[in-house]
Amino acid sequence: MNRFFYRVVLFLSMLVFVVWSQIASQPAKTIVDRDLAVLARHEFSHERIGALSQDEKKLFYHLIKTGEIMDEIYLDQVHPLNKTWVTALQSLKSAGDKTAEKILEYFFISFGPWSVFEKEEWIIPDRLLPQWVPVNIPRLKGYNLYPYETRDGIMQSVSIKELDNWLKSNPQDTDAFKSPFTVIRRSADQKGFVAIPYAVYYKKPLTEAAWHLEQAALYVSEASVKTLLTNKAEAFRTNNFYATDVFWVKTHDAELQLLIGPYEESIDEIWGVKRGFGMRIGFKDQLGTADLQTYKSLEAQFQANLPIDAKYHPDKQKEPFFTVWRQIYTAGDSRQGVQTLGQKLTNDRKFTIEHGARQSFYRNSQDGKCEKTLKPLANLVLASEHLPDVACDAFFKSTLHHEYAHALGVVFWYPDWDNPDPKTRKEVNDNLPTWGGKLEELKADTLGCYNQQYMFNAKLEDPARQRQMYATMVVGFFRSVRFGMNSSYALNAMIMLNHLVDAGAVIFDENEDGRIRIIADKVAAVLKDNARDALMLQVKNNDAAVGDYFTKWAVVRPQTQKLLDRIKDAGLPRDLYPVFPVLKELGLDNDL
């Protein structure tokens, strides 16, 4: 009996050892594994890529080399330790470490050791990097565009209060310090601050990028694009980015579409003004662009229909230029994180009034997200009667109206709205250091939906498609929340969904296992109220009041969480991982 028992125990012990050995030999699943599993690989390409002439190959070679430099600069802009982390990971990859190889693959879109979905989540496993490499470092509020120091044992950005106090004592520094194109550093004596132009701070990489742009210009046939490239090269040397944007606006109708340099303020949580370096290359979608030209004439109608008093929008901007692109390559800020559907640029109000803005829509990003991330969600969140109404055209229109709405509404803030004096006006976000950027995105989301409703009411769109708008909008809320509740898009989605729920415009139908049923005749009033809320928050211009509004409404309620849990369990794609066939065509790598 004892001998039999001993043999059983021995056998079980050996079995456990074998199983443990097999498990231990498998690399542990990491946060990077988790995130990559829900990023659907998607080719960003164009039919012309497989038939490039020799001159076109030279053109795209120099453009992509410029893009690689935008990657280099943007890595530095995101965090001062980024290059240290990348160098350490590259050494491990060279030694055959598969985990390091996968993290570098992730860096291609994250541009830092944090999850693209959970903003503060560190992605590098413990003990992977050498002991001398700092780990578990939080993001910097000012990224690497403002001074930083170690306080309470934590690497932190300089406080807004300290910077604001400096400007109160040195008002002559305001323009340079709040320029989108300067880096702020402590002065040599450590007693104050200085603003360093991008062209000076990043002189070496920008000088190389300027050379590549001038080389690319030699192989461009379109005059407007050639002018843009040569002037952008000059801006990289002189820091005069405002002037070169005039030439960029003029390329709205070119076949070759480019966006190069610092444009978006996504890497500044101090003043919300500094711009990150990025790049987009693509071709104009001729048919898609032609289809959008009817929207150019609607700006006056949209402005007249705003759900706020006309005295709050006395300033008029030029009509925007619409272009639909098919992207073939992105870099830096233009590639980081969630892949962009469209953009309204520039973000300079003064420039927009004088020269107009460009509304760019990225068709292959739209198509990929609709088919790979949006439609699969519908079965999990919508009542069955709404499933046929989820449509990619409605998804595209939602992006169109979002970007259009950025150019509408409150252009500047005035201390006295009854007597608006241009001498006293300010940028809307000047008094909203914490919430200004998020509020602008909320305005674009809510006003975009309100304007879509206006087009149905005015018979400017086929009223039969209103059902598609509503169904696609609701599924879109859940797509946005999956980016993480640090994302403006997720916050906005919950604000809008919760208003619809409270108004009885959507219900969680227990007969459909908690899926959403839309009560169509109640939706329009809620969209109007949402747009009015966002616009009036900009009018009142109180940062604390905006924060209170977001705190109250931008929350995930239990019935919503139930659907989100269902989506998570299904393991559906959350976004796209970009693949660029043009790189293979040119013999270049799809990595940093």
Side-chain angles (χ1 to χ4, degrees), residues 161-213:
K161 183 178 180 180
E162 188 176 359
L163 289 168
D164 286 343
N165 286 340
W166 175 263
L167 291 185
K168 286 178 183 178
S169 302
N170 301 273
Q172 72 278 4
D173 288 346
T174 300
D175 287 347
F177 274 50
K178 293 200 172 182
S179 164
F181 314 118
T182 60
V183 174
I184 309 301
R185 291 291 180 256
R186 289 199 180 273
S187 56
D189 60 10
Q190 299 295 303
K191 295 180 180 179
F193 300 96
V194 294
I196 308 171
Y198 280 178
V200 175
Y201 192 82
Y202 303 112
K203 182 176 181 179
K204 183 177 179 180
L206 286 179
T207 299
E208 183 181 355
W211 181 83
H212 279 295
L213 291 180

Side-chain angles (χ1 to χ4, degrees), residues 284-296:
K284 184 176 75 169
D285 182 320
Q286 303 284 355
L287 292 177
T289 300
D291 287 345
L292 294 186
Q293 298 316 304
T294 55
Y295 286 85
K296 284 193 65 175

Side-chain angles (χ1 to χ4, degrees), residues 279 323 398:
M279 185 176 196
T323 312
S398 70

Side-chain angles (χ1 to χ4, degrees), residues 333-372:
D333 186 44
S334 303
R335 190 172 67 236
Q336 185 190 33
V338 173
Q339 299 305 295
T340 304
L341 294 167
Q343 291 174 291
K344 175 260 172 186
L345 295 171
T346 73
N347 293 328
D348 187 311
R349 306 278 186 176
K350 178 175 178 288
F351 182 96
T352 300
I353 289 173
E354 293 178 357
H355 304 287
R358 285 196 56 184
Q359 307 273 4
S360 296
F361 305 95
Y362 309 123
R363 191 77 215 206
N364 38 12
S365 185
Q366 293 267 348
D367 293 344
K369 291 196 182 216
C370 182
E371 295 295 340
K372 296 178 179 179

